[in-house]
Amino acid sequence: MKRITRPPGARRNALFVAVAVLAATSASVAAADDGRGPLGVTARASGTVAASRVGALFGDSSALEGGHFCTASVVRSKGRNLLVTAAHCLDGGGKLRFVPGYRDGKAPYGIWEIRRTYVGDAWTGAQDEDSDVAFATVADQGGKGVEDVVGGNAFVTGRETGATAVTVTGYPSTLDAPITCTNRPTVHSRTQQRIACPAFAGGTSGSPWVNGYGEVVGVIGGHEAGGDTDDISYSVVLGDEARDLYRSTQDQ
């Protein structure tokens, strides 16, 4: 399992950034609905509205810089307070915090305390890789939910793998800024999908796969806890189980 790093490892120097981030941010932007533009190119994510919905997960430490271990993102919900991530990101227990748009030790949209987590029975019982998706709610701030501040993507199930290209955005634990890549997923198995995007290392578990319609159709996790190399990532195929888990969060 390489997608979660708790505690985070040593930081890499600027040479790593130059090598692993393969192009300027503008070069990585492709139309996710039809796949135009360069695909399979990873770059540092720019501070767009869409990118601000993705954030880093932190543990108990009050410090931010260097302390993140997984990725999560805001999805639409009745309570306007819901995150989606990988189930294995929530195994550690203890106090967790979500920082949307985290960059260089700063929290431009606030620090949100996770209030409750939602993990499916198949993951809780046997850590079934086909159930490696989870949700969490965060406490409101000033009478507002996190979705009121940064917006949220739709969470959808039943989409055909590879029907469109998707953009994956996440936080390697060795960097204090998100990276992003657009490519078209392919079928790994009936229950798992994969995507070729370089440099998605430890810490990127939970990164959303967002299509051109603003829909989350995958989350890094699943097979090999998201992948045992930095260049290929996996996601559960979001089906009935993920749909039911999402619906359970709307009843609270």
Side-chain angles (χ1 to χ4, degrees), residues 3-233:
R3 298 297 181 188
I4 180 172
T5 310
R6 189 198 295 264
R11 314 194 66 71
R12 299 182 191 176
N13 59 26
L15 179 60
F16 165 81
V17 178
V19 173
V21 178
L22 301 176
T25 299
S26 59
S28 73
V29 178
D33 54 349
D34 61 7
R36 292 174 302 183
L39 300 179
V41 176
T42 298
R44 184 174 172 128
S46 59
T48 63
V49 172
S52 70
R53 298 170 184 171
V54 182
L57 288 178
F58 291 79
D60 290 336
S61 172
S62 60
L64 286 185
E65 189 169 1
H68 55 93
F69 65 90
C70 258
T71 302
S73 65
V74 183
V75 290
R76 296 175 193 163
S77 66
K78 292 179 181 178
R80 306 187 68 78
N81 60 356
L82 189 64
L83 314 178
V84 66
T85 187
H88 72 259
C89 287
L90 304 180
D91 281 346
K95 181 179 178 181
L96 296 176
R97 298 168 298 155
F98 172 67
V99 184
Y102 172 74
R103 192 177 296 264
D104 300 326
K106 297 181 174 60
Y109 305 100
I111 301 172
W112 301 75
E113 290 191 9
I114 290 182
R115 183 180 62 187
R116 181 172 179 179
T117 60
Y118 299 81
V119 179
D121 291 342
W123 179 265
T124 302
Q127 294 193 336
D128 184 347
E129 68 175 20
D130 292 336
S131 301
D132 195 6
V133 61
F135 297 92
T137 55
V138 295
D140 289 354
Q141 294 186 15
K144 291 184 176 181
V146 66
E147 188 180 337
D148 295 316
V149 177
V150 298
N153 292 312
F155 180 81
V156 300
T157 60
R159 294 290 189 265
E160 180 184 356
T161 297
T164 69
V166 300
T167 296
V168 186
T169 303
Y171 285 84
S173 59
T174 52
L175 299 177
D176 271 330
I179 59 173
T180 190
C181 171
T182 298
N183 210 344
R184 190 176 295 271
T186 58
V187 173
H188 175 70
S189 70
R190 181 181 61 82
T191 56
Q192 298 283 330
Q193 52 189 328
R194 56 182 276 168
I195 193 167
C197 278
F200 275 75
T204 59
S205 281
S207 300
W209 300 18
V210 183
N211 66 18
Y213 306 104
E215 299 170 334
V216 175
V217 296
V219 171
I220 288 183
H223 183 59
E224 297 172 341
D228 62 1
T229 73
D230 293 352
D231 297 339
I232 301 293
S233 297

